[in-house]
Amino acid sequence: MAEEVVLLDFWPSLFGMRSRIALAEKGIKYEYKEEDLRNKSALLLQMNPVHKKIPVLIHNGKPVCESLIQVQYIDEVWHDKAPLLPSDPYQKATVRADYIDKKIYDLGSRVWKTKGEEQATAKKEFIESLKLIEKELGDKPYFGGESFGYVDVAFIPFYSWFYAYEKCGNFSIEAECPKLIAWAKRCMQKESVAKSLPDQQKVYDFILQMKKHFGIE
Amino acid sequence: MGEEVKVFGYWASPYSYRAELALKLKGVSYEYINEDIFGNKSDLLLKYNPVHKKVPVLLHNGKPIVESLVILEYVEETWKHNPYLPQDPYDKATARFWIKFIDEKCFPTLWLAAWSAENEREKVTNEACEYLKTLESALNGKKFFGGETIGMVDIVASSVGYFIRVTQEIMGQNLLSADKFPQLFQWSEDFANCSIVKESLPPRDKLLPFVKGLIAKYQQDNAKA
């Protein structure tokens, strides 16, 4: 039976990258459709009427929305290759990625969207949060332990935005969180990750454009 | 093999309730420990949930699981009879979508609508109504979000269907009304009337004064500010 997999996405999206990585890990062929978020396609609006956001994974015509839900779905459907989540229920319960979504994403956004004192505060909180995550990693090669897993997938897309955060905030993430950068470079060795993340300079240029658009100096 | 199951909760907490309802639906016996969350949290709670220090915490054979949604998934996977999550990955993903929607959009906005200041209330209320409309569409003619029987979405939606309804009664708002959202209203009635739900929900006559007290305290604190 032919599987039809489509991903509605936007190239710098941290959330879209997660699904790209998960699909690549499983070796799934899919059609990538770039969305213009200022002019959303009829397909996107039809497939995600509630939020009208990307990424949307369309599997045999049926949409799955929300990046972490997509990653879990991909892991469950294509379960015989490269498992991303542990099979043991207790282990699975300890694997959490929503801290990343709720904290890191918002703090990172504030780093490039603000200036002056507001930015200084955002930077401080951002680094503190990264340090907490670094602590979670400990001495393990991946968040998943010996192998690349769900939390790694959830967090590695941020690496593509690090250069942009650093330039906007005038700081070095490597200086603050060397273990985290070591982890990121280890992940980038994987083809599934390297192919799914955009070039850091490209992301920075995109952020500069966004800043102009929002009128942020 | 003896299973040791404990729940650290708070009788009026909608999150704590989710954990208890899940265990009851599975027919799992557990020891319930009511935490004094507004006063003195127990050493055990702080030991088992050092990061968030919140209820509910599920303790299974000495191992803690925190966060109500994680607890729901864990209970489902550990006790496989009476499933409340669909087996099919697509249907599972759909259930998780609605759970996220309730938890991140629906419930917080409705809660805010009850507490927000007069001048902001209309805007928040309008937003809340939009979310309720969307939530109602998820029912799609079914009796419960889970179909013929209660599913995980219903468990999570109890926050809206019961706890919010009680709060609104106090505030004199009636957002989740039969004429505005007939399907959703009917669902909340059917849900609350299920025997297993009925016997486990915190009673209205206890909850009403409790929430009234919370709101009064909140308003008092904010009047001082």
Side-chain angles (χ1 to χ4, degrees):
Chain A
M1 185 192 75
E3 297 264 33
E4 197 201 55
V5 183
V6 178
L7 185 69
L8 304 183
D9 200 350
F10 177 51
W11 70 269
S13 164
L14 296 163
F15 306 102
M17 287 176 219
R18 291 166 169 175
S19 302
R20 286 176 229 163
I21 296 168
L23 289 165
E25 277 287 297
K26 305 285 185 173
I28 300 158
K29 299 238 171 302
Y30 66 98
E31 187 190 343
Y32 178 92
K33 279 197 165 142
E34 188 72 34
E35 282 284 333
D36 175 2
L37 298 185
R38 292 158 304 179
N39 190 14
K40 293 176 180 178
S41 72
L43 182 64
L44 173 57
L45 300 177
Q46 183 200 350
M47 291 285 147
N48 191 357
V50 174
H51 302 297
K52 305 174 176 55
K53 284 181 171 177
I54 53 93
V56 180
L57 178 74
I58 310 173
H59 184 204
N60 294 331
K62 299 198 291 188
V64 180
C65 304
E66 301 294 326
S67 64
L68 293 179
I69 295 177
Q70 287 163 8
V71 173
Q72 283 176 74
Y73 175 81
I74 290 165
D75 199 43
E76 285 165 23
V77 173
W78 291 279
H79 52 83
D80 35 3
K81 186 171 178 202
L84 296 170
L85 279 156
S87 47
D88 171 66
Y90 185 74
Q91 293 291 327
K92 212 187 279 191
T94 62
V95 169
R96 304 304 312 286
D98 43 331
Y99 177 81
I100 294 164
D101 271 2
K102 288 172 188 163
K103 273 281 196 164
I104 303 293
Y105 182 73
D106 289 334
L107 290 171
S109 293
R110 275 170 40 206
V111 167
W112 71 262
K113 277 185 180 166
T114 62
K115 48 187 171 151
E117 226 187 288
E118 223 191 313
Q119 192 189 50
T121 310
K123 246 168 69 180
K124 183 165 162 281
E125 290 178 19
F126 182 63
I127 292 167
E128 269 165 23
S129 291
L130 288 180
K131 287 193 163 151
L132 266 175
I133 291 189
E134 193 180 49
K135 208 164 143 217
E136 266 302 303
L137 178 65
D139 289 313
K140 305 193 298 280
Y142 300 104
F143 287 94
E146 287 307 307
S147 34
F148 185 76
Y150 179 73
V151 179
D152 303 281
V153 174
F155 192 46
I156 191 61
F158 285 84
Y159 181 64
S160 66
W161 280 55
F162 276 3
Y163 178 67
Y165 293 142
E166 287 173 324
K167 291 286 278 187
C168 290
N170 193 24
F171 66 115
S172 159
I173 295 175
E174 184 153 20
E176 303 283 350
C177 304
K179 276 188 170 170
L180 211 53
I181 298 299
W183 160 82
K185 290 183 174 168
R186 190 176 302 125
C187 292
M188 288 296 286
Q189 302 271 341
K190 294 174 72 66
E191 199 184 338
S192 61
V193 177
K195 278 189 157 172
S196 305
L197 263 52
D199 171 64
Q200 297 205 32
Q201 181 66 50
K202 217 178 151 197
V203 172
Y204 178 52
D205 292 338
F206 167 74
I207 292 296
L208 287 178
Q209 260 180 44
M210 293 289 279
K211 280 165 78 95
K212 231 188 250 174
H213 175 79
F214 281 113
I216 306 158
E217 193 23 66
Chain B
M1 181 193 70
E3 294 258 38
E4 195 202 50
V5 184
K6 295 188 184 182
V7 172
F8 293 81
Y10 185 65
W11 71 273
S13 159
Y15 298 102
S16 183
Y17 179 68
R18 293 167 180 179
E20 288 202 82
L21 182 57
L23 290 168
K24 287 190 198 285
L25 286 169
K26 298 286 185 179
V28 173
S29 316
Y30 61 95
E31 184 193 334
Y32 176 76
I33 297 134
N34 195 55
E35 284 285 329
D36 178 15
I37 60 175
F38 295 101
N40 260 329
K41 292 176 181 177
S42 75
D43 290 339
L44 278 179
L45 177 65
L46 300 177
K47 172 182 165 194
Y48 293 128
N49 193 359
V51 175
H52 302 293
K53 308 177 176 54
K54 286 181 171 178
V55 293
V57 174
L58 174 71
L59 202 66
H60 185 207
N61 293 332
K63 298 195 288 195
I65 301 110
V66 308
E67 297 289 307
S68 65
L69 298 185
V70 179
I71 291 171
L72 290 180
E73 297 251 6
Y74 176 81
V75 170
E76 173 70 0
E77 281 174 42
T78 305
W79 292 279
K80 296 197 191 291
H81 56 280
N82 298 356
Y84 50 68
L85 202 56
Q87 288 279 32
D88 174 66
Y90 185 77
D91 295 334
K92 216 186 277 195
T94 304
R96 287 175 177 148
F97 174 86
W98 289 115
I99 286 163
K100 189 172 182 183
F101 178 76
I102 293 165
D103 227 34
E104 291 182 8
K105 301 276 184 204
C106 221
F107 181 48
T109 312
L110 277 162
W111 189 239
L112 209 61
W115 298 73
S116 53
E118 285 286 349
N119 55 335
E120 286 176 353
R121 199 170 295 166
E122 194 182 331
K123 178 166 168 265
V124 182
T125 302
N126 288 338
E127 205 183 329
C129 283
E130 281 302 311
Y131 290 143
L132 284 175
K133 200 162 127 199
T134 304
L135 186 61
E136 193 176 52
S137 75
L139 264 177
N140 203 18
K142 302 187 302 248
K143 184 172 185 195
F144 297 111
F145 291 99
E148 280 306 299
T149 52
I150 291 176
M152 197 157 132
V153 181
D154 299 275
I155 300 174
V156 174
S158 66
S159 322
V160 171
Y162 185 74
F163 293 85
I164 288 288
R165 272 188 71 183
V166 169
T167 308
Q168 293 209 331
E169 205 180 295
I170 299 164
M171 302 308 287
Q173 299 169 338
N174 196 18
L175 288 183
L176 187 43
S177 68
D179 39 87
K180 276 202 218 95
F181 304 105
Q183 273 194 74
L184 203 57
F185 182 83
Q186 189 57 48
W187 163 81
S188 69
E189 295 280 294
D190 290 337
F191 177 78
N193 277 325
C194 285
S195 54
I196 219 168
V197 173
K198 218 193 305 209
E199 45 181 67
S200 58
L201 278 172
R204 267 176 95 81
D205 54 6
K206 254 186 107 185
L207 202 55
L208 267 166
F210 170 78
V211 179
K212 232 183 194 159
L214 265 186
I215 293 176
K217 184 175 184 299
Y218 174 81
Q219 287 170 341
Q220 205 179 36
D221 290 346
N222 276 28
K224 284 190 225 148

